[in-house]
Amino acid sequence: MPVRKTPPPRPGWGICCICNHNGDLTKHDIMGSLGFKAIESQPSLLDAHVSDIIHPHLGLHSTLEELFLYDFHLELSQPGRKVTQAFEANPMLPGVILTKRGKFAGMISRRRFLEYMSRPFGLEVFSKRPVEDLYQFAKTDLLILPGNTSILAAAQRLLQRSYAMEAVVVMGERSRAPQGMDYNLEARGKVTTPDLLYEPIVVEISPQVYRLLDVHQLLVAQSRIHQMALELIEQLNQKLATANQELQLLAAVDSLTKVANRRKFDEYLHIKWREMAREKAPLSLILCDIDFFKRYNDTYGHQAGDVCLQQVASALSRAAKRPEDLVARYGGEEFAAILPHTDSAGAIHVAEKMRVGVLALEIPHADSAVNQYVTISVGVASAIPHLESSPEELIAAADQALYHAKESGRDRYTFYPTEIA
């Protein structure tokens, strides 16, 4: 697979290090006879914009082939000064791919090359001698990865190579130890070789087609992908939170009447009971029942009965409309309303509004024994809770009041007079 194409050179961009037959550095001739190959007009990282070097459309599964890869090759038989010229021509070139008779033989990084060339007599010794002589001293473990390796996997391999190598040195045998290892570790222990972190990665694009990847670019790409992953996780968390809220809402709402269901009623009553107990504030409960609802269903059918329940629920909600009031379907044709911070007088007022509101709907009920329209019977109870008591006492009181309302002729409210707490 070919290397990703780079943008056309801009003014001020460096051209690949190209040498003529006399060994002098130029910017125009491609010296194929010397085995030195490069992508024509490849820009210098010093002059290129970041968006040109790190692909702007990286994704979580992006691979090394999507990054900026260097294509600098040099035959091992060429003199060391050719490597110097390559690095001088492109200050950001991380290394040079070395070949032997056209086949991949290794890689020498800028850092290791300059390290050996800067040693005493290094320039005199290696400048005119074949690069192969220097490579015998400067070679190190190569990290060769396929071009389709994901950026995240490549970054992980890079760190593993640098900090999880297996030592092959017996403690004290310094002459056998590879350079940079920790000699104070036991044989075959794990050692750290952080200098390998800076060594370029060799990317195998296809069989016998190799490119170089600067590790800084890899880590920058990994950082960008990591940021993308964090943003994606945040978006997913927000969607999950929204979905959970919707599920909680669905779990708390009666599907037919769209008011709170019995589960929500029980939960809310216990919460408000404790809150009112701490505040020493009144809590009222209203229970109401549609009069002769079984007869209504028998006369008009269950679909009409469902519509009737929906209309009654809406009327009850309009009567108990404060933000902390809760209207719930208590069961079948029964409804309930929890009224925090509401004393008996306030609860009676709401109960009467509910009764009048349902009657005002003028839903025909030909088989009712009390009215030509649908009516409700209402039971009201109030208390100032304390933590030693139970909200079930308030429910029992409201239920008793509802029973008296029905026994007294229906289409009315009854307040339970006994103190609850």
Side-chain angles (χ1 to χ4, degrees), residues 235-265:
Q235 294 174 5
L236 293 176
N237 285 337
Q238 292 177 356
K239 291 181 179 179
L240 180 60
T242 301
N244 285 335
Q245 291 177 354
E246 293 175 352
L247 287 175
Q248 290 176 1
L249 181 61
L250 291 175
V253 173
D254 178 66
S255 59
L256 176 63
T257 62
K258 306 307 178 185
V259 296
N261 58 19
R262 178 62 181 271
R263 175 183 175 184
K264 179 62 176 179
F265 169 84

Side-chain angles (χ1 to χ4, degrees), residues 295-305 364-367 372:
R295 295 184 186 180
Y296 185 91
N297 274 336
D298 292 342
T299 302
Y300 299 100
H302 288 282
Q303 287 186 337
H365 192 346
D367 204 21
Q372 61 177 326

Side-chain angles (χ1 to χ4, degrees), residues 31-49:
M31 193 191 70
S33 61
L34 290 179
F36 188 85
K37 302 177 182 178
I39 301 175
E40 186 176 4
S41 301
Q42 181 159 307
S44 165
L45 292 184
L46 285 178
D47 302 310
H49 295 290

Side-chain angles (χ1 to χ4, degrees), residues 246-311:
E246 293 175 352
L247 287 175
Q248 290 176 1
L249 181 61
L250 291 175
V253 173
D254 178 66
S255 59
L256 176 63
T257 62
K258 306 307 178 185
V259 296
N261 58 19
R262 178 62 181 271
R263 175 183 175 184
K264 179 62 176 179
F265 169 84
D266 292 336
E267 176 186 311
Y268 193 71
L269 181 60
H270 281 80
I271 291 174
K272 291 304 175 181
W273 184 268
R274 291 191 296 269
E275 287 184 7
M276 298 304 103
R278 288 192 295 268
E279 297 177 19
K280 294 181 172 51
L283 176 66
S284 294
L285 177 65
I286 295 175
L287 290 180
C288 58
D289 186 87
I290 299 178
D291 296 325
F292 303 108
F293 188 69
K294 183 179 184 304
R295 295 184 186 180
Y296 185 91
N297 274 336
D298 292 342
T299 302
Y300 299 100
H302 288 282
Q303 287 186 337
D306 288 346
V307 174
C308 177
L309 288 171
Q310 293 169 343
Q311 292 177 300

Side-chain angles (χ1 to χ4, degrees), residues 122-138:
L123 186 62
E124 292 82 356
V125 172
F126 296 114
S127 179
K128 297 182 179 180
R129 299 180 65 179
V131 178
E132 186 173 9
D133 293 347
L134 172 61
Y135 189 58
Q136 297 301 318
F137 295 94

Side-chain angles (χ1 to χ4, degrees), residues 106-153:
M107 181 275 301
I108 185 169
S109 66
R110 171 188 291 271
R111 185 182 63 85
R112 293 188 68 81
F113 177 80
L114 296 180
E115 174 188 343
Y116 277 86
M117 294 296 284
S118 63
R119 292 181 178 182
F121 306 107
L123 186 62
E124 292 82 356
V125 172
F126 296 114
S127 179
K128 297 182 179 180
R129 299 180 65 179
V131 178
E132 186 173 9
D133 293 347
L134 172 61
Y135 189 58
Q136 297 301 318
F137 295 94
K139 68 170 55 177
T140 185
D141 293 324
L142 299 180
L143 179 57
I144 304 177
L145 298 176
N148 60 1
T149 303
S150 73
I151 292 173
L152 296 180

Side-chain angles (χ1 to χ4, degrees), residues 327-367:
V327 174
R329 188 179 181 187
Y330 194 68
E333 69 273 16
E334 285 188 297
F335 292 88
I338 301 172
L339 309 176
H341 297 101
T342 304
D343 58 15
S344 57
I348 289 172
H349 176 72
V350 173
E352 179 61 11
K353 284 182 63 178
M354 287 180 169
R355 188 193 69 81
V356 173
V358 171
L359 185 60
L361 295 173
E362 297 186 348
I363 303 173
H365 192 346
D367 204 21

